[in-house]
Amino acid sequence: MLSLHTNNAALSAQNAISKTQSNLSTSMTRLSTGYRINSAMDDAAGLQIASRLKAQTSGMAVAMRNTQNSTAMLQTAEGALDEVSNMLIRMKDLATQAADTSSSIADKESMQSEYDALGTELGNVLKNTKFGGETLIVAGTIGAAMKFQIGADATEVMNINMATDVTAIATDVGAATASYAAGAAGTEI
């Protein structure tokens, strides 16, 4: 008859070594990743909380980038509108200077040429200012309702609508430059 003798001490030692190896593996994983929780086996509730917080932190990082991009876009539009303002001031100065009797006809023609060039450039700035390949001012992003995602949650948004103001600017500037365009009878500066 065949009999099987077991060595209880060896089995006990083998179980202890197995458990120690498992604990060592867990400790090495924690050390290598820097995380206390690496799987649901470590702490299921803690893993769920950590995952939620990680997702929220990631969402906030993206929201911060969104905010920085939005700020850059608005600064680009602001720079363009500052240039529009500078051009309009120069156009007003030219009109005032041309109204003076001391200006010769040649002076007035030069002033008219500069005025016309400023009017053309004014239209270019308004129509062609872009950010990220998208037109900003006339028939663009700034000229429509804008929605900025400024937080990790869908409800954390900032809405801006400057469509009426931008349309009014475009209309007024277009009318001002068109009424003084070179070649229109009696409209020279």
Side-chain angles (χ1 to χ4, degrees):
M1 174 168 233
L2 188 62
S3 117
L4 204 42
H5 296 290
T6 57
N7 186 344
N8 286 333
L11 288 176
S12 178
Q14 186 180 9
N15 285 339
I17 287 175
S18 230
K19 187 173 181 180
T20 302
Q21 182 63 33
S22 175
N23 288 340
L24 178 63
S25 176
T26 300
S27 295
M28 292 304 284
T29 302
R30 287 179 182 163
L31 279 173
S32 66
T33 63
Y35 299 128
R36 182 183 74 82
I37 303 169
N38 289 296
S39 68
M41 179 179 66
D42 295 333
D43 180 2
L47 180 63
Q48 187 274 331
I49 292 168
S51 295
R52 182 174 40 85
L53 290 174
K54 186 175 181 181
Q56 186 177 8
T57 302
S58 176
M60 288 304 294
V62 171
M64 285 174 40
R65 282 195 307 270
N66 284 352
T67 303
Q68 291 168 349
N69 289 341
S70 300
T71 300
M73 181 185 73
L74 293 174
Q75 286 173 338
T76 301
E78 179 186 24
L81 292 175
D82 283 346
E83 285 305 310
V84 165
S85 177
N86 292 337
M87 285 185 255
L88 289 172
I89 289 170
R90 179 62 183 152
M91 290 170 84
K92 180 206 167 283
D93 291 347
L94 286 169
T96 303
Q97 185 178 2
D100 187 35
T101 305
S102 66
S103 299
S104 69
I105 292 176
D107 293 340
K108 289 181 182 183
E109 287 173 356
S110 296
M111 287 182 244
Q112 182 66 47
S113 294
E114 183 180 351
Y115 190 96
D116 294 340
L118 285 168
T120 301
E121 185 57 25
L122 193 63
N124 285 337
V125 169
L126 290 173
K127 294 175 196 161
N128 298 320
T129 298
K130 295 184 180 194
F131 181 82
E134 296 293 323
T135 304
L136 284 181
I137 301 173
V138 174
T141 304
I142 300 294
M146 295 176 288
K147 177 181 174 182
F148 299 106
Q149 183 68 40
I150 59 172
D153 294 332
T155 59
E156 296 177 297
V157 296
M158 180 175 61
N159 294 306
I160 298 174
N161 190 346
M162 297 189 297
T164 304
D165 298 329
V166 171
T167 301
I169 289 171
T171 302
D172 293 345
V173 169
T177 56
S179 66
Y180 293 103
T187 60
E188 285 82 10
I189 56 174

